Amino acid sequence: MKPHATAILFTCIGFTAITGSASLAGPFDEPHLNIMPRTADEAGRIFKVTTPTATFSKAVRFETSSAGAATVQVRHSADAFSQPTRNIRFEDKLNFNVGKGFFRKLWVSSPSSTLASDGLGSVYNARSCHRCHIKNGREHPPEDNDTNSLSMLLRVSIPATEEDRFAEIEGYIASLPDPTYGSQLQDFAVQGHRAEYKLNVRYSEETIELSSGETASLRHPKYHAGTLGYGPLHRDAMLSPRVAPQMIGLGLLEAIPAADILALADPQDHNGDGISGRANTV
Amino acid sequence: MYRFGNPIVDDWEGKVNAWPLDEGLIDYVSASYGGPTDEKKFVGLNIIANPEFSLSGTQINATAITPKLLAETLHEADGVGANVATGYHAIEFLLWGQDLNGHEDGAGNRPWTNFAAGDACTNDNCDRRGGYLRAATDLLLSELEWMSAQWTDAGTARASLMANTDAGLSAILTGMGSLFYGEQAGERMRLGLMLNDPEEEHDCFSDNTHNSHYYDGLGVQNVYLGEYVRINGVLVSGPSLSDMVAATDTTLDVEMREKLSTTMMALGRIKTAADTGFKYDQMLERGNVAGKALIMGGVDGLVNQTRSIERAVSAQGLSQIAFEGSDSLDNSDAVFR
C-alpha cells in the first residue's frame, strides 16, 4: 500500500498557531493552513536574515528572537510550552484555545452520552493527546518497575516487499504493520478487553573509565513487549521504542513553506556541506 | 479563578471535575445510545454490576466499593491524570442518569427504584449502586476538604499566591483571562457548539450547564469586585482588584466593570432561557439559530472581557512578572518584522 497524502510535515490538528508562509499549488499545497503569501521582497528579506553567519565572535543579530515577532519569551511555569506564537492575533486565540481543548479532551468508552467524545478503545495508549504529550513537553521512558508506561510506547513493523516501496522517493525503506498488532502496541483496553502488551524496560549499568581515573556509569535500556494479549508478534517483527515528543515549535515548523524544505533537501550533497537531506513525504 | 498559574488547584481539578465521564464503566448505559454493535456485548461490564472485572488485562476486585477503590485502584489501572469515574459528574450521573433526549426537551431521568431495597430494585445491584454513590460522594467531600485546607491561613495554596505580591496579582489577573478565554469560552462553550453534540455540555445528565457557566462568570466578577453574596443573602466585601486598577486608570476600571456586566448579561440570558425550558443541550443543536446566538453571546462577552484584562495586566506593570527577557521585545531592532 502506498501513501497518497502529501502533507509534508507532521502536524498536530488545531494546536499550532500559524504566522504565515508561502503558498504552493499542487501536491504540496497546505490547505489546512491560513497562509499569507510571501512577496518577493519579503522572501528576499527572510533569506538575508536567515542566512547562517560565518563569524562567531559576537551574537548574531536577531539571535534572541529566533522566530522573529513570533518568538515566545521564557516563562517559569508548567505552561511554558503551551503558548501560542507571540504575534498571534487576539481573535485567533480562540482557535488556539479550541484546538487546545481538543488536545486535552478525554475520550470514553462507547456507548456513552457524549456522542462526540466516546469511541475510546477497544485498546488504546491514552485517553487524550495531552496524556502522553503532557504540558506539550518531551516525555520520558518508564523507570524500572513502573506500573505503566504512559508517554512511551513500542512501534512495531515487519519488513516490506519490493512492491510496497514508495517508488517516488529514492532510498525509501518501506515496512508494513504487524499483521495482528498493527503499527503501534497499546497497553490499555476498555473494560472486558485485553490490553495488547505491557512495556517492560530493564536497565543495566555499565561503568566506563575516564581518562583521568574517574568513572562514569552508563545505563543500557532493554525493551521488551511483555504480556502479549493477542498471541505472538510476527516472527520478523521489529520494535522501536518511542517517547512522546514535545509539541513546542510545531507552529514554527509548520510556518516553513514546503518549497523551502524541498529546495534545501540536497539529497546528493551537491553543495558539499556534508548534509544530504531527504524530505520525508507522509 | 485561582486555578490557573496555581498547580495546587490545577493539578487537582481533574479529580473532581473530569469530563466527559466514563459512565459505561460505572453503571448500566443505554445500548440504544449508539456505538458499534460489537461493543454492545460489553455494555454490562461495569463496576456496579460486577464485583470482579478486568481492565487492560488487570483483574480488579470491586467487591467493596470504597473511596480508596475509586481513587486509587481504578485510577492506577487506567493511568489517566483526570479520574473519569469519580467527581461531580459521577455523582450527577448516579443521581440523574443518562439524558436520552438528544436535542429534545428533558434531562436524565433515573428512577428512584435504581436505589430501592429488595424487590422494588430496578436495573439490579441497587445496594452496589448506593455504595458507589456513597463512595464517590465521600471521596468528593474529602477532596473539597483538602482544597479548603490549602486556602486556610497556613494553607499551601494561599502561601504560594501570597509569597510575592506582584506575582500573586499577576496570577489572579492572568487566571481571570485563562478561565474566560481559554477554558470557558474555548473549551467549554465554543467546542460544544462546533461538535453540535447535545451532551457536549458541562452538566449533561442534569441539564444544569447554564448554571455552571453563569456562576463561573459570576465567580470572576466577584473576584474583580472583591465581593460575594452568601447563600443567606449577606454581602461579603473587601479591597478589590477593581480598586487597584482604578487607582492607576479609572477609565480602564470602568471598562472592566462594564465588560464584566455585559458578560454576565449574556450568561444570564442563557440561564433565563434554560430556566424557562430552553435547555443548553437544545441550544447546541445544529441549525438552532437562537441557541447559537445565545451561546456565542456568552463566548463573545468572555473573549472581549479578556482584552481588558490584558490591558489591566500591563497597566499594573505586571506583565514583566510572567515573562523573562521581555526587554528584547521592547527593542525593535531585536525583532525583524
Side-chain angles (χ1 to χ4, degrees):
Chain A
M1 186 180 19
K2 285 175 188 168
H4 295 292
T6 51
I8 202 156
L9 284 168
F10 176 83
T11 56
C12 183
I13 297 162
F15 193 58
T16 45
I18 314 308
T19 53
S21 60
S23 177
L24 279 166
F28 294 110
D29 200 3
E30 294 160 302
H32 58 294
L33 299 182
N34 175 18
I35 286 173
M36 201 188 295
R38 278 180 192 162
T39 63
D41 263 10
E42 283 168 335
R45 198 157 47 89
I46 290 165
F47 177 77
K48 222 173 111 190
V49 169
T50 54
T51 301
T53 183
T55 56
F56 297 95
S57 53
K58 61 181 171 65
V60 180
R61 199 169 172 224
F62 309 124
E63 191 168 291
T64 52
S65 295
S66 53
T71 310
V72 173
Q73 299 302 308
V74 173
R75 58 173 68 201
H76 298 284
S77 84
D79 295 319
F81 288 179
S82 307
Q83 307 305 317
T85 55
R86 193 179 161 85
N87 59 351
I88 190 174
R89 291 190 314 155
F90 185 82
E91 293 73 20
D92 289 338
K93 278 192 191 169
L94 189 60
N95 288 340
F96 179 83
N97 287 325
V98 169
K100 193 154 86 171
F102 268 113
F103 197 74
R104 287 157 30 118
K105 181 182 232 332
L106 298 171
W107 299 87
V108 296
S109 63
S110 179
S112 112
S113 295
T114 56
L115 294 180
S117 302
D118 73 354
L120 175 76
S122 55
V123 292
Y124 61 98
N125 286 103
R127 276 183 193 268
S128 70
C129 307
H130 187 249
R131 271 311 295 158
C132 289
H133 303 273
I134 298 165
K135 295 286 186 187
N136 308 301
R138 182 180 167 80
E139 274 312 320
H140 59 87
E143 294 300 317
D144 270 324
N145 305 321
D146 259 8
T147 51
N148 68 58
S149 55
L150 266 172
S151 74
M152 184 172 207
L153 54 81
L154 294 178
R155 298 279 295 178
V156 57
S157 61
I158 62 172
T161 59
E162 189 58 26
E163 56 266 29
D164 295 311
R165 280 193 58 229
F166 193 4
E168 292 83 348
I169 295 184
E170 198 186 338
Y172 190 80
I173 300 166
S175 60
L176 287 174
D178 179 278
T180 308
Y181 289 92
S183 56
Q184 182 163 312
L185 295 174
Q186 295 168 300
D187 51 358
F188 290 108
V190 298
Q191 56 268 35
H193 290 265
R194 282 162 291 158
E196 287 186 334
Y197 85 124
K198 182 169 160 31
L199 171 59
N200 294 329
V201 191
R202 287 282 169 274
Y203 296 101
S204 56
E205 296 288 336
E206 183 192 354
T207 306
I208 307 284
E209 299 204 359
L210 302 178
S211 57
S212 47
E214 301 100 330
T215 59
S217 185
L218 296 183
R219 197 160 79 146
H220 293 277
K222 193 162 186 224
Y223 302 99
H224 174 66
T227 331
L228 288 164
Y230 300 86
L233 291 167
H234 188 277
R235 64 180 192 283
D236 297 326
M238 302 174 285
L239 296 176
S240 167
R242 310 283 178 98
V243 292
Q246 59 273 51
M247 310 304 292
I248 188 175
L250 286 180
L252 296 173
L253 273 180
E254 208 170 44
I256 301 172
D260 286 4
I261 295 170
L262 295 172
L264 292 169
D266 192 18
Q268 304 304 327
D269 192 20
H270 290 308
N271 67 4
D273 68 355
I275 301 166
S276 53
R278 281 175 299 173
N280 186 14
T281 311
V282 294
Chain B
M1 254 293 325
Y2 295 100
R3 170 181 159 196
F4 302 92
N6 200 334
I8 293 167
V9 188
D10 206 18
D11 292 350
W12 166 90
E13 198 262 351
K15 288 194 204 174
V16 298
N17 200 26
W19 179 254
L21 185 74
D22 206 344
E23 57 215 68
L25 177 62
I26 299 174
D27 198 0
Y28 73 91
V29 286
S30 168
S32 71
Y33 216 87
T37 342
D38 60 341
E39 292 286 338
K40 286 184 184 164
K41 65 182 168 180
F42 295 106
V43 163
L45 277 173
N46 58 69
I47 299 162
I48 284 170
N50 297 276
E52 270 205 28
F53 62 98
S54 82
L55 202 57
S56 300
T58 309
Q59 204 63 20
I60 308 273
N61 182 344
T63 317
I65 303 175
T66 61
K68 193 174 156 66
L69 173 84
L70 302 186
E72 293 171 22
T73 313
L74 288 181
H75 195 60
E76 276 296 306
D78 206 14
V80 291
N83 195 332
V84 290
T86 66
Y88 280 109
H89 299 296
I91 295 167
E92 187 199 353
F93 169 58
L94 286 167
L95 293 179
W96 271 271
Q98 285 182 296
D99 179 353
L100 301 173
N101 304 298
H103 290 296
E104 300 301 313
D105 190 26
N109 189 22
R110 188 185 286 280
W112 68 269
T113 49
N114 270 195
F115 295 96
D119 289 344
C121 172
T122 53
N123 293 88
D124 305 324
N125 305 297
C126 286
D127 49 339
R128 287 181 63 79
R129 191 168 293 114
Y132 200 114
L133 178 59
R134 200 167 281 135
T137 311
D138 287 348
L139 184 62
L140 178 65
L141 283 176
S142 67
E143 291 291 353
L144 293 174
E145 280 161 6
W146 182 87
M147 184 47 70
S148 315
Q150 305 307 305
W151 290 98
T152 57
D153 286 344
T156 321
R158 178 184 291 264
S160 86
L161 189 70
M162 305 289 277
N164 175 309
T165 308
D166 284 350
L169 288 170
S170 172
I172 293 171
L173 281 164
T174 50
M176 287 172 78
S178 300
L179 178 64
F180 265 168
Y181 200 171
E183 179 87 9
Q184 194 169 354
E187 294 185 32
R188 293 192 184 171
M189 297 177 77
R190 188 75 185 94
L191 189 55
L193 208 51
M194 284 169 77
L195 297 171
N196 293 120
D197 177 344
E199 309 316 329
E200 197 60 47
E201 56 168 331
H202 195 257
D203 305 83
C204 86
F205 306 115
S206 59
D207 277 359
N208 201 29
T209 303
H210 53 288
N211 281 318
S212 290
H213 289 346
Y214 181 83
Y215 288 105
D216 271 350
L218 186 64
V220 176
Q221 191 181 38
N222 282 341
V223 170
Y224 185 73
L225 300 176
E227 62 179 42
Y228 169 61
V229 180
R230 287 196 168 131
I231 47 177
N232 64 4
V234 174
L235 176 75
V236 183
S237 66
S240 65
L241 277 172
S242 173
D243 300 336
M244 189 185 80
V245 172
T248 49
D249 189 340
T250 331
T251 322
L252 181 57
D253 175 54
V254 171
E255 180 185 308
M256 282 282 286
R257 284 191 279 123
E258 272 176 8
K259 287 192 180 175
L260 279 164
S261 299
T262 306
T263 303
M264 288 316 296
M265 282 278 281
L267 295 175
R269 269 185 217 114
I270 295 173
K271 181 169 152 58
T272 310
D275 280 338
T276 46
F278 183 42
K279 298 290 186 189
Y280 200 85
D281 52 3
Q282 296 168 274
M283 297 175 198
L284 286 173
E285 187 176 12
R286 185 181 300 274
N288 192 319
V289 178
K292 186 178 179 183
L294 279 171
I295 296 174
M296 282 312 291
V299 171
D300 291 344
L302 291 163
V303 170
N304 194 15
Q305 178 65 48
T306 309
R307 276 185 186 280
S308 304
I309 296 171
E310 289 191 346
R311 283 185 55 208
V313 171
S314 54
Q316 296 299 312
L318 296 171
S319 53
Q320 302 300 318
I321 307 297
F323 315 105
E324 187 185 85
S326 299
D327 50 14
S328 66
L329 295 169
D330 302 329
N331 173 7
S332 59
D333 186 52
V335 179
F336 69 96
R337 290 178 195 277

